[in-house]
Amino acid sequence: MPTSSASTTSRRLLSLLSLLQTRRDWPGGLLAERLEVSERTVRRDIDRLRGLGYPIRAAKGPDGGYRLDAGSNLPPLLFDDEQAVALAVALRVAVTTGAAIDEAAARALATVRQVMPARLRARVDALEATAAVPAARPQVDAEVLLAIGAAIRANEELRFDYAGAGGNDGTDQAVAPPRQVQPHHLLARAGLWYLVAWSPRHQDWRVHRVDRMTLRVPNGPRFTPRELPGGDAGAFLSARFKGSDDAGTWPCAGEVIIELPASRVAPFAGDGLVQDLGPTRCRLRAGSWSWAGLAAHLARYDADVTVVGPPQLRAAFADLARRAERAARPASAV
């Protein structure tokens, strides 16, 4: 394999760097085998990467090899085509994460785009996406996210003040004791960030909106992490939004026959299950956080509905009908 041309050397350096990033230690012989070059060429390429600022440590002996360490300065970054496109796409949609990094993401995207080959720049420019984010959506300072992430990795309790939906928690923040929890997972959902944590005070799991948290320093003591129910933080958060302890179910679920074709019901059924019963009707099994909420959801299809079960859903429809009747009366008759 020729190793003298500049383009071949650059591609090989990129491949070598990618290999070093995939595992902790690489024996020199194995690197030479994967790159299809001699061990002497590997040594020269390692020296070239060091010259670019990559901290690569060499270990001597029969089991020696190379390791890419973290450096104090950020060296020039090398990406293959797929990595470069993925990075550019991620930067374009960074605004949807709810982190206050819009300006930094735009500058990073401009930097990446400027050094891209023309063929890749054209692919990225074809994605002229505008993030549809509500104007009032609160954002979280990136430093706050990093501080919470560091506490999770270090297994340190977090201390913070917490504002309610109206902007405060109804207490005097100057004298109120901070909340103290054992942080477990940091998750983004629909443009908002949430912290899933164990509360020693309540002896229960809690979910906190990060944009309502004001961190206090220092952190609390170290702790031994607990196992999250179900083991899946995303499923756990989804269950809390459903008002359920079971990640896969709503607390209120029912089944109905709707006098509409399945094709007209399915686009609005969310996570409901739609079964085709012919050209003019379908069966729908759906759930909600309350029976009244489920009845209202099913009534929006503007078609005749027959309740299959359970009785609580039938009762909720009856109550909805009474309220709808009262609402339909003229104001003078109320």
Side-chain angles (χ1 to χ4, degrees):
M1 175 179 176
T3 60
S4 57
S5 72
S7 60
T8 300
T9 301
S10 297
R11 286 195 298 270
R12 193 177 64 248
L13 287 176
L14 178 58
S15 298
L16 174 57
L17 183 59
S18 297
L19 289 173
L20 290 171
Q21 291 170 337
T22 59
R23 55 184 282 181
R24 185 170 177 82
D25 295 291
W26 276 96
L30 184 55
L31 283 175
E33 179 181 340
R34 293 290 294 271
L35 297 172
E36 299 182 359
V37 295
S38 67
E39 292 192 43
R40 181 180 179 183
T41 298
V42 170
R43 289 193 295 271
R44 286 202 303 264
D45 288 347
I46 291 291
D47 288 337
R48 291 188 179 102
L49 289 177
R50 286 171 175 159
L52 291 173
Y54 290 94
I56 302 175
R57 182 190 305 174
K60 297 181 180 180
D63 297 325
Y66 301 97
R67 174 187 301 178
L68 179 63
D69 288 340
S72 57
N73 297 311
L74 187 65
L77 301 179
L78 300 177
F79 299 102
D80 60 27
D81 287 3
E82 291 183 353
Q83 289 174 322
V85 172
L87 176 62
V89 171
L91 289 171
R92 278 201 186 279
V93 300
V95 64
T96 65
T97 65
I101 56 173
D102 299 12
E103 182 182 351
R107 287 190 285 107
L109 177 59
T111 301
V112 172
R113 184 187 177 281
Q114 183 177 1
V115 298
M116 275 184 166
R119 67 182 189 282
L120 298 185
R121 192 181 307 124
R123 291 175 60 188
V124 172
D125 289 346
L127 180 64
E128 289 294 341
T130 300
V133 180
R137 181 61 50 83
Q139 292 191 322
V140 179
D141 191 291
E143 292 299 322
V144 174
L145 296 175
L146 292 174
I148 294 176
I152 292 174
R153 290 191 299 274
N155 297 328
E156 292 179 347
E157 293 190 355
L158 274 177
R159 301 167 61 248
F160 58 92
D161 298 312
Y162 195 69
N168 63 75
D169 62 2
T171 63
D172 184 350
Q173 295 288 355
V175 298
R179 302 191 184 191
Q180 189 157 335
V181 300
Q182 298 174 358
H184 192 281
H185 263 79
L186 187 62
L187 304 98
R189 175 189 171 102
L192 293 174
W193 287 89
Y194 297 90
L195 172 67
V196 176
W198 173 261
S199 171
R201 176 186 174 189
H202 298 94
Q203 288 295 295
D204 194 12
W205 291 94
R206 290 289 191 266
V207 176
H208 301 279
R209 279 251 308 257
V210 176
D211 60 281
R212 296 177 181 172
M213 296 170 57
T214 301
L215 299 183
R216 290 200 181 189
V217 293
N219 290 340
R222 294 177 64 87
F223 64 91
T224 301
R226 295 170 178 266
E227 183 176 352
L228 188 69
D232 186 324
F236 178 86
L237 183 62
S238 178
R240 287 300 174 97
F241 274 98
K242 291 181 178 180
S244 171
D245 292 329
D246 185 341
T249 62
W250 290 97
C252 302
E255 188 173 314
V256 298
I257 303 296
I258 302 180
E259 300 301 322
L260 284 175
S263 60
R264 292 185 56 187
V265 173
F268 309 100
D271 59 358
L273 180 62
V274 181
Q275 179 184 358
D276 187 4
L277 297 180
T280 61
R281 61 205 308 255
C282 66
R283 183 188 304 268
L284 171 62
R285 180 169 181 80
S288 183
W289 55 272
S290 72
W291 293 113
L294 181 56
H297 168 77
L298 296 171
R300 70 176 183 160
Y301 287 102
D302 192 23
D304 289 340
V305 174
T306 302
V307 176
V308 177
Q312 294 94 323
L313 179 56
R314 192 172 291 109
F317 266 110
D319 184 58
L320 180 63
R322 287 191 293 270
R323 282 186 282 166
E325 183 183 5
R326 288 195 297 271
R329 297 173 189 167
S332 59
V334 177

